Amino acid sequence: MKNIYGVLGAGSWGTAIVKILTEKNSSINWYVRNESNLNHIKTFRKNPNYLNSLELEINKINLSSSIIDVVKNSSVIILAIPSPFLDSELKKIKSFFKGKVFFSALKGVIPESHLIVSEHLNQFYKVSFAKIGVITGPCHAEEVALEKLSYLTVACKNTKIGKSMTDSLNTKFIKTKFSKDLKGAEYASMLKNVYALLVGVANGLGYGDNFQSVLISNSVKEMKRFIKTVYLLERDINDSEYLGDMLVTCYSTFSRNRTLGNMLGKGHSLKAAILEMSMISEGYYATKNAYEIGLKNKIPFEIINTAYSILYKKHSAKKAMKVLANKLN
């Protein structure tokens, strides 16, 4: 039986995934919450708020402002709603979960539970891990829109389900790979936002490329320790879904997490920086989750702790980075 894909979310990444899926699929269901945006997409074939240079194959897309209709008419649900709003949307559709497969395209944690999406779905909605997957990078939506060669990793414990999604996302400009490291890939996707945010802080404070490269190399080592702590499995941290995703998020001008950190480093208050940004920075929520996991396991993750001190304890970014700089090697 052929999969029927339903994409929930009309931000930049949701739009990019719809674009990728229409390369190989003749019918995609897409939940666009805002009726005005939906009508604009129908009329002009472009998302007015995100990736608005991208022209969509509208004849292959079934647009709906009803999340229930999209879920009911789809067998595979791709979650691309920003994490702060995801749980409230899941509650609307929980009675239609039976038989559905879920893939998370989020890069953060659910604020209500402080869990990554796969754990949240499993614990609060009783979705089996065998029916949950993750779509991760290294990949920026903006480059997908330009059809620049990009790479995706699909992680899923169920090989059949995972490889089916891998094939659907594989196009002339997207190369995909399959991994069984569901939790490892998802935690890496979460953590890279924390590290990118701190790299942004360093940049905003005037630290140069030399320091930032050392910060990133130390972050890779810390990520390896962190993921090993929460999910022990044989993996190569240098693979693209771990190291590659971190590098593109830390260095790219498209990175909203680096952008938020850069603003904090330049002296903006957290509130002012978040208000100025037009997109959600997942790193803010991920930092709290990562910090609490460190406390629970009684393991000091110095870089994560530094991000937490700046974001949640309101410590001086300049002083916090100076302290961290003396601990790097």
Side-chain angles (χ1 to χ4, degrees), residues 208-271:
D209 292 343
N210 294 339
F211 174 81
Q212 290 177 51
S213 67
V214 171
L215 175 58
I216 292 170
S217 65
N218 278 260
S219 296
V220 174
K221 289 187 284 186
E222 185 172 284
M223 175 190 277
K224 182 178 181 179
R225 287 195 298 118
F226 186 102
I227 298 176
K228 185 178 180 181
T229 299
V230 296
Y231 187 50
L232 187 60
L233 185 77
E234 188 69 30
R235 64 178 62 85
D236 186 349
I237 205 70
N238 295 315
D239 283 350
S240 59
E241 64 267 38
Y242 313 108
L243 176 59
D245 205 13
M246 180 188 286
L247 290 175
V248 75
T249 309
C250 286
Y251 280 123
S252 177
T253 55
F254 291 131
S255 170
R256 67 194 71 170
N257 295 286
R258 179 186 167 98
T259 299
L260 175 61
N262 188 59
M263 293 170 72
L264 296 175
K266 288 184 174 180
H268 293 252
S269 70
L270 178 62
K271 184 178 180 180

Side-chain angles (χ1 to χ4, degrees), residues 88-280:
S88 61
E89 296 293 318
L90 290 174
K91 286 174 181 173
K92 298 175 186 177
I93 55 174
K94 62 182 180 181
S95 57
F96 306 100
F97 278 13
K98 188 176 180 181
K100 307 294 183 185
V101 171
F102 291 85
F103 276 88
S104 170
L106 281 71
K107 308 294 174 68
V109 297
I110 310 301
E112 290 87 348
S113 64
H114 298 235
L115 296 172
I116 53 177
V117 177
S118 63
E119 291 175 340
H120 187 85
L121 284 170
N122 178 258
Q123 290 188 30
F124 289 89
Y125 295 96
K126 308 306 176 188
V127 180
S128 166
F129 279 116
K131 293 245 178 124
I132 302 173
V134 174
I135 301 169
T136 187
C139 190
H140 278 307
E142 292 81 0
E143 293 196 356
V144 170
L146 297 170
E147 296 194 3
K148 290 194 173 185
L149 183 60
S150 302
Y151 294 73
L152 287 175
T153 297
V154 173
C156 186
K157 289 189 174 184
N158 186 312
T159 302
K160 183 180 178 181
I161 289 173
K163 287 193 172 180
S164 176
M165 176 60 79
T166 302
D167 181 63
S168 285
L169 294 172
N170 195 51
T171 73
K172 63 180 183 293
F173 57 90
I174 299 287
K175 291 186 180 296
T176 58
K177 60 179 280 194
F178 171 71
S179 168
K180 296 197 77 171
D181 187 14
L182 171 65
K183 287 189 180 180
E186 193 170 6
Y187 269 109
S189 183
M190 176 197 91
L191 289 168
K192 53 102 178 193
N193 291 328
V194 180
Y195 297 128
L197 201 153
L198 211 56
V199 170
V201 170
N203 186 70
L205 286 167
Y207 287 87
D209 292 343
N210 294 339
F211 174 81
Q212 290 177 51
S213 67
V214 171
L215 175 58
I216 292 170
S217 65
N218 278 260
S219 296
V220 174
K221 289 187 284 186
E222 185 172 284
M223 175 190 277
K224 182 178 181 179
R225 287 195 298 118
F226 186 102
I227 298 176
K228 185 178 180 181
T229 299
V230 296
Y231 187 50
L232 187 60
L233 185 77
E234 188 69 30
R235 64 178 62 85
D236 186 349
I237 205 70
N238 295 315
D239 283 350
S240 59
E241 64 267 38
Y242 313 108
L243 176 59
D245 205 13
M246 180 188 286
L247 290 175
V248 75
T249 309
C250 286
Y251 280 123
S252 177
T253 55
F254 291 131
S255 170
R256 67 194 71 170
N257 295 286
R258 179 186 167 98
T259 299
L260 175 61
N262 188 59
M263 293 170 72
L264 296 175
K266 288 184 174 180
H268 293 252
S269 70
L270 178 62
K271 184 178 180 180
I274 289 175
L275 284 173
E276 190 171 324
M277 293 180 67
S278 61
M279 295 186 287
I280 298 292

